[in-house]
Structures are given as C-alpha cells and as structure tokens.
Amino acid sequence: MAEARETGAESGGAPPRWLTSDELRAWQKFIAVVELLPGVLDSQLQHDSELTHFEYYTLAILSEAPDRTLRMTALAARTNSTLPRLSHVASRLEKRGYLERRPCAEDRRATNASLTAEGWQKVRTTAPGHVATVLAHVITPLSPEDISDLDRIMGRMLGRLDPENTFRASNE
Amino acid sequence: MAEARETGAESGGAPPRWLTSDELRAWQKFIAVVELLPGVLDSQLQHDSELTHFEYYTLAILSEAPDRTLRMTALAARTNSTLPRLSHVASRLEKRGYLERRPCAEDRRATNASLTAEGWQKVRTTAPGHVATVLAHVITPLSPEDISDLDRIMGRMLGRLDPENTFRASNE
C-alpha cells in the first residue's frame, strides 16, 4: 500500500486519489490486525479444543438458534461464509459428531444443520477459553468509547463489504 | 461467541467475565469484517494482477525500502508474517521474476530480498487497482474522525496482538 505515494504520480491508470498519510497510518495498523488476529484465535482454539475459529463460530451460531438448527444457507450467511466453504466445514464437524445435516421438513430441497448433544457440550467447554482470548486481545485494551467507535466504524465498512447485509452482522 | 451468554452460567472453567451486549455487537461486526475483507482484497488482486494480497504487500514493502532491499527477517516483520510463511511466498515471487534473494554482504548468514525491475513494474501497475479497492471498501465510508478513531483502536489492539511491536505497525 504505502508505495502508492511514490508510484502514484508516475502511474498510468490512476485511481480517484491515493491515501492521505492519516489514512495510510490507520490502514497499516488495521491490516496488521486483520493479518494477526485470525492466527491468535485459531491457535488458542486449535490448542485447547482442536477447532479452527470458523469451526467454533459455526457451532456457536447453531447453539443459539431455535432447536439449535438452521438452514445451511442461513448458517452460511451468519458465519460470513459461502455455502461451498460451509459445506466443507460441516462435513468435518459431522464426522466428529458435533453436527448433523438433514433435509428440511418444510422444503425437501433445503438442508438443515443441527447441533448434536455432543456439539452442544463442545461449545460449552470451548467457550470460556475462547472468550478469555477475545477479552485479552481485543476487548480489554479498549475503553467503552472505543467499543462504541469500533461498532460504528465496522458497521460503516460492512455497508460496503456486505451492501445487501447478506451476512446480517451490520444491524445486529 | 454470542452463545457465551447462555452457556456462561453453567460452564465450569469460567473466564473473568463474558462480553457485554455492547461488546458483543461490536465484536460480531468486527469479526465479520476480519472474515470478509481479505477475500475482497485477494479477489481484486488475483483477478487483475494474479497476486494474493500477501504477495502484493510483500512487493509493496520492498518497493519502499532503500535499494528496494530488506533482510528476510525484517521483511517478515513488516508483512506481519512468520519467516517460514514469507520464505514460501518469496519462492513463488522469485519464480515469477519479481524478487531475488541473496546472502547479505555484511552478514553472510542473513539473506536479503530485493525487488527486481520486473517486480517494481508489477507494483506500479498493480497499485492503482488495489488502492481503489481499499478506498472503496474501507476508507471512503469513513469520516476523518472515524480514521482517527480506527488508528487509535487498532493501535490498542496491536499492543496486545503484537506486544513487542515485532511487526512495527503499532507506532508507524
């Protein structure tokens, strides 16, 4: 990114503008967090529970749903995922006994995913360590004002990253 | 994450506390951005330049260095990466003619990575589309106050994610 300042003047297909120095500084910190955070979340979960963050998040979202069941399409949206990616992960979780997939009773073309009793237990035992990691690395260093600012800023980004609000994070 | 509220009371190894509803709302938006943004950056770069974001960022950091050269250890730190991951990517970039690795003249045990003329040209032609993507998805929806808040908040998170400031994003 940063090289944009140097190359911009010489470049052919110029974008509307380059980043200002304030924007560049914020962007570099932000992209560092985006690179580093998934590794921190995955490491703790893998080490303590043999789950990736995406696997844990999938089980956690199901644990909150009515009857701990969601259509696969809805579960993909709630986990910020595509259906192919979710299907791949659901297969792995199914093999481990945490999740079951069945045709939806109201619409046989649709598939439901349900948390098993074992999956529910897995979420319960995994949650404390994961929440402690999120608190330590993300939440605790922030003031209440930071939390409110983070919510506003991420909501604005999601307005562009997910303009149709497919992933339903924007207005929850 | 959200299930933490339900399972917390029953769970055995309780963390210091669970997330408040304000923290949970901000966290869910933030984690959605962390999941979605890399795909948006990678898609544009892959489509237009056949580079991943990490490959582009590696070339871009080198393009700014004196003599367009850095030690591999310094380049790993600047790209928020481990040395093994960077070495793997450097091999790919070397095969494509964008980067060269040579023993460091001052310390033969160390390895330098340099941008080739072709790599420099690649950065120049790739930067405009990438910057336009960053502007459209991250920067433009934010006010100057948001940018300043984002910088402060990400700096605080990096204080925990990278306490030794190894990756040098915190105070740049």
Side-chain angles (χ1 to χ4, degrees), chain B residues 82-134:
Chain B
T82 59
L83 193 55
R85 180 186 177 204
L86 175 65
S87 297
H88 182 71
V89 167
S91 294
R92 287 211 307 268
L93 293 171
E94 206 161 37
K95 277 187 199 131
R96 293 171 69 183
Y98 300 144
L99 181 150
E100 276 177 350
R101 282 177 293 182
R102 294 199 193 137
C104 174
E106 293 106 53
D107 176 0
R108 304 290 296 179
R109 292 163 304 179
T111 301
N112 283 340
S114 301
L115 201 64
T116 63
E118 205 180 335
W120 168 242
Q121 193 53 41
K122 186 71 174 173
V123 170
R124 286 184 57 188
T125 55
T126 302
H130 173 62
V131 173
T133 303
V134 172

Side-chain angles (χ1 to χ4, degrees), chain A residues 5 9 29 41 47-48 61 79 95-97 101 105 110 124 132 137 142 147-148 161-162 164:
Chain A
R5 286 170 300 181
K29 287 199 187 78
L41 299 178
H47 180 267
D48 293 347
I61 293 289
T79 54
K95 276 185 199 134
R96 293 171 69 183
R101 282 177 294 182
R124 285 185 58 189
H137 288 90
L142 304 186
I147 295 288
S148 154
L161 289 166
D162 179 26
E164 311 276 322

Side-chain angles (χ1 to χ4, degrees), chain A residues 1-7 10-11 13 15 17-19 22-23 25-38 40-41 53 56-57 60 63-64 80 85 120 123-124 127-128 130-132 134-143 146-147 149-158 160-161 167 169-170 172, chain B residues 1-7 10-11 13 15 17-19 22-23 25-38 40-41 53 56-57 60 63-64 80 85 120 123-124 127-128 130-132 134-143 146-147 149-158 160-161 167 169-170 172:
Chain A
M1 272 305 308
E3 89 301 340
R5 286 170 300 181
E6 287 179 30
T7 58
E10 310 164 56
S11 175
R17 64 175 181 91
W18 301 101
L19 302 194
D22 284 350
E23 289 166 349
R25 198 165 50 236
W27 167 253
Q28 285 178 336
K29 287 199 187 78
F30 178 48
I31 204 69
V33 169
V34 169
E35 289 276 354
L36 294 170
L37 181 60
V40 168
L41 299 178
H53 179 252
Y56 171 72
Y57 204 74
S63 77
E64 292 199 304
N80 309 298
R85 181 186 177 205
W120 168 240
V123 170
R124 285 185 58 189
H130 172 63
V131 173
V134 172
L135 281 168
H137 288 90
V138 177
I139 303 294
T140 309
L142 304 186
S143 70
D146 291 336
I147 295 288
D149 291 339
L150 181 67
D151 186 73
R152 181 188 77 248
I153 292 166
M154 293 301 136
R156 287 180 178 175
M157 282 187 205
L158 284 174
R160 297 296 179 92
L161 289 166
F167 298 115
S170 302
E172 269 181 16
Chain B
M1 271 307 305
E3 90 301 339
R5 286 169 300 181
E6 287 178 32
T7 57
E10 310 163 58
S11 174
R17 64 176 182 89
W18 301 102
L19 302 195
D22 283 352
E23 289 166 349
R25 198 166 47 237
W27 166 253
Q28 285 178 335
K29 287 198 186 78
F30 179 47
I31 203 68
V33 169
V34 169
E35 289 277 355
L36 294 170
L37 181 60
V40 168
L41 299 179
H53 178 253
Y56 171 73
Y57 204 74
S63 78
E64 291 199 305
N80 310 297
R85 180 186 177 204
W120 168 242
V123 170
R124 286 184 57 188
H130 173 62
V131 173
V134 172
L135 281 169
H137 288 90
V138 177
I139 303 296
T140 309
L142 304 186
S143 69
D146 291 337
I147 294 289
D149 291 340
L150 181 67
D151 186 73
R152 182 187 78 248
I153 293 167
M154 295 301 137
R156 288 180 178 175
M157 284 187 205
L158 284 174
R160 298 295 180 94
L161 289 167
F167 298 116
S170 302
E172 268 182 15

Side-chain angles (χ1 to χ4, degrees), chain A residues 95-107:
Chain A
K95 276 185 199 134
R96 293 171 69 183
Y98 300 143
L99 181 150
E100 276 177 351
R101 282 177 294 182
R102 294 201 192 133
C104 174
E106 291 106 55
D107 177 358

